[in-house]
Amino acid sequence: QVQLVEFGGGLVQAGGSLRLSCAASGGTFGTYAMGWFRQAPGKEREFVASTSRSAYSYYTDSVKGRFTISRDNAKNTVYLLMNSLKPEDTAVYYCAANPAPITKATIDPAYWGQGTQVTVSS
């Protein structure tokens, strides 16, 4: 089974930057689409970004131009670079892996990370 370990969450001031990392083990990393989701208290889980096996990237509208997803297959790691952070970005961020493409319609990725808290202060 694939295991996903996330790190990089924390507290940052509005306008600042943060980079999340997700390291995978137990599978062939290059065969999976990778994505990030987030969930704030009282809100539905939402898709944030994804990258395909061929490094195509897709973003939800609210983060376009601010967030960048990337992957390093040699390190079995996917990243989410978050710039110009806003208080509304505050949420628990989850890494996911899936053998099929990940989109905003994906509700059941094959594997989830444990989540990491991102808090943006005003």
Side-chain angles (χ1 to χ4, degrees), residues 7-113:
F7 56 95
L11 175 65
V12 64
Q13 293 183 344
S17 298
L18 205 60
R19 189 178 75 161
L20 306 183
S21 300
C22 174
S25 62
T28 304
F29 184 80
T31 68
Y32 290 91
M34 302 294 296
W36 292 92
F37 296 77
R38 66 187 181 186
Q39 186 169 25
K43 296 184 178 180
E44 299 267 342
R45 183 185 66 194
E46 67 171 341
F47 167 81
V48 177
S50 65
T51 182
S52 72
R53 293 163 57 181
S54 60
Y56 167 84
S57 60
Y58 178 59
Y59 301 90
T60 193
D61 287 346
S62 64
V63 308
K64 286 181 179 178
R66 299 190 297 121
F67 291 11
T68 303
I69 188 170
S70 61
R71 64 191 298 159
D72 186 338
N73 289 347
K75 295 182 178 180
N76 291 355
T77 300
V78 64
Y79 305 93
L80 184 68
L81 176 61
M82 304 181 291
N83 292 323
S84 302
L85 282 162
K86 305 174 181 179
E88 52 262 44
D89 294 317
T90 295
V92 177
Y93 284 70
Y94 297 92
C95 176
N98 203 54
I102 295 174
T103 72
K104 63 183 180 181
T106 302
I107 60 173
D108 58 342
Y111 304 101
W112 288 101

